[in-house]
Amino acid sequence: MKVLVAVKRVVDYNVKVRVKSDNTGVDIANVKMSMNPFDEIAVEEAMRLKEKGVVSEVIAVSCGVAQCQETLRTAMAIGADRAILVETTEELQPLAVAKLIKALVDKEQPGLIILGKQAIDDDCNQTGQMLAALCDLAQATFASKLEVLDGKASVTREVDGGSETLTLTLPAVITTDLRLNEPRYVTLPNIMKAKKKPLEIFKPEDLGVDVTPRIKTLKVTEPPQRSAGIKVPDVATLVDKLRNEAKVLS
């Protein structure tokens, strides 16, 4: 069984992002970029399935600029067998990414598609759900445990009331949550091996997908700075401030 894993190149989670001076977006010039943490978990889970003998091939997929090849090489260093890049300089929104991945799903016919539940740059949490709808496949989001056996996937997912377990018939789409696993450390020998693994490059037009943005960003601003806290002498003053200043009590 093949597994298709989508990975995204994002600003590293340790970096404090800055807004451009003209408020058109986030400044990523000379900023460290890395694989989206939720996607790292997705790649790790695919590798664990392969190590159990459930999966025969892991294919890493990314959509974006040419530098996304570095992210795909990282996925192959973790253990992915090969990679596919859909290269474009267009701003990619979740629906466009879902359409691109669907085209690759149609081409590769994987038994399982694993994505991170969301990216830490736009926090949309939409691509996996849109992909499942476009492919007409079963889906399980926010997976915290995954077991695959006899053409079915048992997925434990986190919900508001605790957790629930779903059983899906493969092929299916699964999005990963933080508690699913702990990604492995990438070793230097594996980084060197990843350089020799095959990486295919397509353009959106090769796949027959229009990636023109449907939503326009008008302005990006930093959130207002929080004011310093204050001490109040008693509970009555606290209640008064919550009611009359913060307006959080009626």
Side-chain angles (χ1 to χ4, degrees):
M1 180 176 75
K2 289 182 188 177
V3 172
L4 199 72
V5 185
V7 298
K8 185 176 184 181
R9 178 177 181 263
V10 299
V11 175
D12 189 87
Y13 69 93
N14 284 314
V15 173
K16 179 175 173 57
V17 295
R18 300 186 306 273
V19 175
K20 291 180 180 178
S21 58
D22 59 1
N23 295 117
T24 57
V26 173
D27 186 5
I28 60 171
N30 301 315
V31 169
K32 182 183 177 184
M33 308 292 282
S34 60
M35 187 189 301
N36 178 47
F38 290 101
D39 297 339
E40 266 191 288
I41 293 168
V43 177
E44 174 65 28
E45 193 62 23
M47 290 313 305
R48 294 187 183 192
L49 290 173
K50 186 179 179 184
E51 289 163 358
K52 290 177 183 176
V54 176
V55 168
S56 58
E57 185 179 29
V58 176
I59 308 163
V61 172
S62 191
C63 307
V65 295
Q67 290 90 332
C68 291
Q69 293 184 45
E70 300 167 13
T71 308
L72 289 170
R73 292 293 178 194
T74 301
M76 289 190 284
I78 294 172
D81 299 289
R82 57 189 175 96
I84 301 172
L85 170 63
V86 183
E87 186 179 335
T88 178
T89 55
E90 284 274 9
E91 176 195 349
L92 290 176
Q93 294 171 352
L95 181 58
V97 175
K99 288 180 177 179
L100 292 171
I101 298 175
K102 180 194 182 295
L104 295 176
V105 168
D106 293 340
K107 180 177 180 292
E108 295 289 344
Q109 295 294 306
L112 187 62
I113 304 104
I114 309 178
L115 307 88
K117 71 171 184 176
Q118 66 195 74
I120 61 171
D121 52 1
D122 57 21
D123 268 340
C124 282
N125 180 21
Q126 295 174 344
T127 305
Q129 293 88 327
M130 289 177 170
L131 175 63
L134 291 171
C135 296
D136 194 23
L137 296 177
Q139 65 171 307
T141 56
F142 315 135
S144 57
K145 185 178 180 182
L146 171 63
E147 294 178 356
V148 178
L149 186 66
D150 298 331
K152 293 186 181 296
S154 175
V155 182
T156 301
R157 58 188 301 269
E158 299 183 0
V159 295
D160 290 341
S163 64
E164 68 177 5
T165 301
L166 304 176
T167 300
L168 314 177
T169 300
L170 301 181
V173 176
I174 292 172
T175 69
T176 61
D177 210 340
L178 284 173
R179 292 168 188 80
L180 182 58
N181 61 50
E182 182 74 32
R184 67 192 67 188
Y185 178 75
V186 181
T187 62
L188 182 59
N190 286 337
I191 292 172
M192 302 307 293
K193 288 177 186 175
K195 294 181 179 180
K196 298 180 180 179
K197 292 183 179 180
L199 192 159
E200 291 182 88
I201 299 177
F202 295 98
K203 300 287 186 182
E205 49 268 29
D206 298 334
L207 303 173
V209 178
D210 178 15
V211 296
T212 304
R214 297 183 172 213
I215 301 171
K216 182 180 180 182
T217 302
L218 301 178
K219 188 177 182 182
V220 177
T221 58
E222 292 189 15
Q225 288 191 342
R226 293 178 63 180
S227 56
I230 61 170
K231 290 183 178 180
V232 293
D234 50 46
V235 174
T237 307
L238 172 62
V239 173
D240 179 68
K241 286 185 176 292
L242 290 174
R243 178 176 290 121
N244 299 315
E245 293 184 19
K247 306 290 186 184
V248 295
L249 294 179
S250 56

